[in-house]
Amino acid sequence: SSSSSSSSSSSSSSSSSFSPSCDLNSLNPNPRQPVTNDAATAQAKLANVPYTRSGDFGFTSITGLPGQAQARASSSSGPLRVSKGSDVVECLGATDELCSAVGVVYSHVEELIELDLEDNPLLEARKVELEGIIERLFDVGAILASGIDFGEDDGEGDTEKASADTLRLPENTVPELEKNIDSMTLQLPELTNFILPIGGGLAASQCHLARSICRRAERDYVRYRAGVVGEGGSKDKDQVGKFLNRLSDYLFQLARQVMEERNRIYGSGEGELKFKKRQDLGGRRGKAR
């Protein structure tokens, strides 16, 4: 989502003057789909190339930052330029990475459905949920890039009222995620031990990888939020933080359920591998070497 939100704002301006200096057909490895040399058609296509050249020196464009909504409304200077090492861009990058990771989970779940000789309404439901989660992650990227409303104090003891155009997650986002977590919890064996993130094939492993990426995205978001409002702001309004927190729990339970379904489909495989504390760890101290 970060790439889509940052590149779209400046792609038209930076590539509109692009003039190909070579035979465009020589760029295409597929002779069955020749590239037109018509200048107008080529210009229209090249206006939407994914590179803009505007980020070559470590800065990128976003729509706004918290507390700058009024400044943006009264200014025609265009998108803000921020460092790619800034907290907000770290947040955008982690969200983008998480979105891709969940996309891989979606593909693995889809493959399990195709391999199953029986109808699998359970995994079909999970597939629909994952598609919705990917859409919400795109929303998170848009919210971060446009200036999230943290409910900052207005100086008079009240929190800032969000403007009508403030981007927000749908109100049912977190409750819906919690409902899906509850559903999986009821369908799974009771969890009494830590489990190892192995077994269950690539689908379960990818769920665990996406879960750990989600945890990092949440940490990046918390750091970004703290840099803007410190310990202030309305935490009740912080739907992005809640969503990321619940999403990692959802992915954990999904890993467990996917493992069970994969083992049923293949008719083989071990169950959950429980973590067992090594007896020789107690009281031992490492020595510097």
Side-chain angles (χ1 to χ4, degrees), residues 264-284:
R264 180 190 61 78
I265 292 169
Y266 280 87
S268 63
E270 298 182 68
E272 294 176 341
L273 298 180
K274 297 179 180 179
F275 168 73
K276 296 180 180 179
K277 183 179 178 181
R278 282 172 46 191
Q279 296 301 316
D280 62 346
L281 288 181
R284 293 184 62 181

Side-chain angles (χ1 to χ4, degrees), residues 15 18-47 49 51 53:
S15 57
F18 184 88
S19 178
S21 58
C22 62
D23 180 1
L24 294 177
N25 283 304
S26 66
L27 302 177
N28 184 24
N30 187 357
R32 289 176 294 179
Q33 295 180 348
V35 177
T36 178
N37 274 316
D38 175 77
T41 303
Q43 190 72 15
K45 289 183 177 181
L46 291 171
V49 291
Y51 61 87
R53 303 190 180 103

Side-chain angles (χ1 to χ4, degrees), residues 72-131:
R72 292 200 310 273
S74 61
S75 172
S76 59
S77 58
L80 296 169
R81 300 289 291 170
V82 296
S83 168
K84 291 183 177 181
S86 63
D87 286 345
V88 64
V89 177
E90 286 286 351
C91 263
L92 285 165
T95 303
D96 189 25
E97 183 180 352
L98 174 58
C99 191
S100 298
V102 175
V104 177
V105 172
Y106 178 96
S107 296
H108 282 303
V109 170
E110 193 171 44
E111 286 183 356
L112 285 178
I113 293 172
E114 293 172 355
L115 288 170
D116 200 348
L117 298 178
E118 305 173 8
D119 291 337
N120 197 322
L122 190 150
L123 287 183
E124 289 283 1
R126 301 288 93 89
K127 178 182 169 184
V128 172
E129 292 163 12
L130 287 167
E131 183 175 357

Side-chain angles (χ1 to χ4, degrees), residues 13-268:
S13 61
S14 62
S15 57
S16 58
S17 60
F18 184 88
S19 178
S21 58
C22 62
D23 180 1
L24 294 177
N25 283 304
S26 66
L27 302 177
N28 184 24
N30 187 357
R32 289 176 294 179
Q33 295 180 348
V35 177
T36 178
N37 274 316
D38 175 77
T41 303
Q43 190 72 15
K45 289 183 177 181
L46 291 171
N48 291 310
V49 291
Y51 61 87
T52 66
R53 303 190 180 103
S54 63
D56 291 351
F57 301 100
F59 287 84
T60 189
S61 298
I62 63 172
T63 308
L65 292 171
Q68 296 187 339
Q70 292 183 345
R72 292 200 310 273
S74 61
S75 172
S76 59
S77 58
L80 296 169
R81 300 289 291 170
V82 296
S83 168
K84 291 183 177 181
S86 63
D87 286 345
V88 64
V89 177
E90 286 286 351
C91 263
L92 285 165
T95 303
D96 189 25
E97 183 180 352
L98 174 58
C99 191
S100 298
V102 175
V104 177
V105 172
Y106 178 96
S107 296
H108 282 303
V109 170
E110 193 171 44
E111 286 183 356
L112 285 178
I113 293 172
E114 293 172 355
L115 288 170
D116 200 348
L117 298 178
E118 305 173 8
D119 291 337
N120 197 322
L122 190 150
L123 287 183
E124 289 283 1
R126 301 288 93 89
K127 178 182 169 184
V128 172
E129 292 163 12
L130 287 167
E131 183 175 357
I133 286 168
I134 291 170
E135 290 176 350
R136 295 292 76 79
L137 287 170
F138 265 75
D139 289 341
V140 169
I143 290 168
L144 290 169
S146 64
I148 191 170
D149 172 30
F150 287 124
E152 298 165 86
D153 197 296
D154 62 1
E156 299 179 1
D158 195 8
T159 54
E160 180 184 34
K161 300 295 187 298
S163 61
D165 61 350
T166 299
L167 296 176
R168 293 182 177 278
L169 292 175
E171 290 185 3
N172 69 334
T173 298
V174 174
E176 187 72 17
L177 206 49
E178 291 177 343
K179 183 187 78 173
N180 296 332
I181 294 170
D182 293 346
S183 173
M184 286 189 283
T185 301
L186 291 172
Q187 296 161 357
L188 290 164
E190 184 179 359
L191 189 65
T192 57
N193 290 80
F194 289 112
I195 59 172
L196 303 179
I198 55 178
L202 287 174
S205 296
Q206 184 60 41
C207 287
H208 282 297
L209 180 59
R211 172 186 58 80
S212 59
I213 293 173
C214 186
R215 288 295 194 192
R216 172 159 52 81
E218 181 187 7
R219 294 194 301 272
D220 287 345
Y221 173 77
V222 169
R223 186 182 305 110
Y224 170 48
R225 187 184 193 281
V228 175
V229 296
E231 296 299 320
S234 172
K235 292 181 174 59
D236 288 339
K237 294 170 62 177
D238 188 7
Q239 293 299 307
V240 170
K242 291 179 181 180
F243 170 63
L244 292 174
N245 181 270
R246 301 302 189 280
L247 180 54
S248 60
D249 295 329
Y250 173 91
L251 291 167
F252 175 76
Q253 292 294 66
L254 182 62
R256 300 180 65 210
Q257 188 163 77
V258 161
M259 173 185 285
E260 286 205 339
E261 287 301 297
R262 185 261 185 193
N263 290 345
R264 180 190 61 78
I265 292 169
Y266 280 87
S268 63

